[in-house]
């Protein structure tokens, strides 16, 4: 059978390796610079033992990350949430594991388990080494707008969901993750897009199974309705008339019934939160760099820039202007010098943040 090589213009992985640096201290310093918008990195052990190698591949609407490292701790604070992008991370450890602390709960992930982490919430991740002293994992970064409508209780659910390796469904999901990793470089844009959407469906199905076993048919139907309403809201965030009464008419619900579906959060509070996240995506996008903050506020249905600024700061801990400035200050290339301590490949790795921004905006049709 004839096999055709992948087109030469296919995206290639962006790589980072601590072995390219003159010392572990320099490698750690650069690694922290590259991840400063995502989390704080702490070495578990001595800095001299720090090592990491990673590859990042931009898929159609998602990112594939693969890493081998010494054990690290990742602290994602409210300020990091404000700097970052509204997404989930689907993670599987091939060696070692991790302990997550989020919302006063502790979650343990073993090798072979699959976790879904809501990166829109603060969390602390403490990695555990395998017997060979290395942690190995692959993960897929999926925009919230792609995954959240598929999840039951997407906003009231836990920050971290663990799918156990013993479950047949988890084994099917992990096989899908590994297969996509193997074939990613050979897929066309449309094939990659279809694969990412299928992976999101599988991930959501695995997470939803945690609640479905205890649900009656009636409560399962309510969750399905709730997901459909959220999809409708996501598609109409820029519509001024989006509100409780139009939603009740659209889905043939009473006002009390709609509020029960969103309890303990109110429907308008949810809409307000999603509009703030839409505004955040616009603020950090180069496509809207010329827009005034007032323009973005009005586009996202806020009455004034003052109202928008107050709400934005309450939600993210920074002002809209500060969020835009942080986005403009992202590291886009190698630092001056270009010597052995600053190899060019590591500079490429920093591009994944801006690539993810583009994926989110494209999915939002902004």
């Amino acid at each position: 059978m004839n096999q055709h090589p992948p087109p030469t213009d296919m995206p290639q992985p962006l790589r980072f390796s601590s072995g390219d640096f003159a010392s572990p201290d320099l490698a750690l310093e650069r690694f922290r610079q590259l991840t400063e918008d995502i989390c704080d990195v702490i070495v578990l052990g001595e800095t001299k033992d720090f090592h990491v190698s990673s590859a990042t591949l931009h898929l159609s609407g998602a990112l594939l990350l693969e890493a081998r490292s010494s054990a690290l701790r990742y602290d994602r604070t409210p300020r990091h949430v404000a700097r970052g992008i509204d997404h989930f991370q689907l993670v599987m450890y091939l060696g070692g594991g991790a302990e997550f602390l989020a919302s006063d709960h502790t979650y343990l992930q073993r090798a072979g388990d699959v976790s879904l982490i809501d990166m829109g919430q603060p969390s602390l991740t403490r990695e555990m080494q395998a017997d060979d002293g290395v942690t190995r994992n692959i993960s897929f970064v999926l925009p919230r707008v792609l995954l959240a409508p598929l999840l039951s209780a997407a906003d009231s659910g836990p920050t971290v969901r663990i799918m156990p390796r013993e479950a047949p469904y988890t084994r099917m999901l992990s096989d899908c993750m590994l297969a996509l990793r193997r074939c990613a470089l050979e897929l066309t844009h449309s094939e990659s897009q279809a694969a990412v959407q299928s992976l999101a469906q599988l991930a959501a199905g695995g997470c939803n199974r945690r609640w479905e076993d205890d649900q009656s048919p009636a409560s399962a139907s309510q969750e399905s309705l709730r997901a459909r309403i959220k999809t409708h809201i996501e598609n109409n965030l820029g519509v001024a008339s989006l509100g409780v009464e139009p939603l009740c008419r659209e889905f043939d619900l009473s006002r009390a019934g709609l509020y029960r579906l969103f309890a303990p959060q109110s429907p308008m509070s949810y809409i307000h939160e999603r509009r703030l996240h839409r505004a955040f995506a616009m603020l950090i996008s180069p496509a809207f760099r010329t827009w005034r903050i007032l323009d973005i506020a009005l586009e996202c249905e806020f009455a004034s820039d003052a109202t928008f600024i107050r709400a934005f700061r309450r939600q993210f801990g920074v002002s809209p202007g500060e969020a835009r400035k942080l986005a403009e200050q992202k590291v886009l290339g190698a630092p001056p010098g270009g010597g052995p301590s600053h190899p060019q490949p590591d500079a490429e790795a920093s591009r994944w943040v801006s690539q993810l921004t583009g994926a989110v905006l494209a999915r939002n049709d902004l």
Side-chain angles (χ1 to χ4, degrees), residues 14-88:
L14 309 176
R15 301 187 184 278
F16 176 92
S17 175
S18 57
D20 292 333
F21 290 79
S23 71
D25 293 277
L26 288 171
L28 178 58
E29 179 184 359
R30 184 58 176 153
F31 189 66
R32 283 172 170 163
Q33 289 175 352
L34 292 172
T35 57
E36 64 184 356
D37 285 336
I38 309 163
C39 60
D40 293 328
V41 178
I42 295 93
V43 175
L44 297 177
E46 298 186 35
T47 303
K48 66 180 180 63
D49 297 322
F50 168 74
H51 61 90
V52 62
S53 61
S54 66
T56 305
L57 181 65
H58 188 206
L59 302 174
S60 301
L63 287 177
L64 166 58
L65 312 174
E66 185 168 4
R68 295 169 53 93
S69 69
S70 53
L72 302 172
R73 194 179 83 188
Y74 301 98
D75 290 356
R76 186 163 171 83
T77 68
R79 186 166 181 81
H80 290 111
V81 172
R83 293 177 181 177
I85 299 158
D86 204 14
H87 63 278
F88 288 88

Side-chain angles (χ1 to χ4, degrees), residues 125-144:
T125 303
R126 183 183 184 278
E127 291 188 327
M128 297 175 290
Q129 296 174 325
D131 292 339
D132 61 2
V134 177
T135 64
R136 295 182 294 276
N137 68 76
I138 63 169
S139 63
F140 291 84
V141 178
L142 304 170
R144 181 181 300 273

Side-chain angles (χ1 to χ4, degrees), residues 102-122:
S103 304
D104 296 325
H105 288 81
T106 300
Y107 307 87
L108 179 65
Q109 180 172 2
R110 306 160 298 170
D113 293 343
V114 177
S115 65
L116 186 69
I117 305 168
D118 183 351
M119 301 300 285
Q121 302 295 329

Side-chain angles (χ1 to χ4, degrees), residues 199-251:
L199 180 64
Q201 291 275 0
L202 282 173
C207 291
N208 292 342
R209 288 173 64 88
R210 298 187 65 202
W211 290 283
E212 286 172 355
D213 290 344
D214 299 326
Q215 284 183 328
S216 65
S219 62
S221 175
Q222 292 291 295
E223 289 291 355
S224 175
L225 175 59
R226 188 171 184 264
R228 288 194 292 116
I229 294 173
K230 285 184 176 181
T231 300
H232 177 82
I233 289 172
E234 206 68 40
N235 293 334
N236 291 275
L237 289 173
V239 178
S241 61
L242 182 65
V244 171
E245 296 306 326
L247 286 173
C248 288
R249 290 193 298 270
E250 177 72 21
F251 293 94

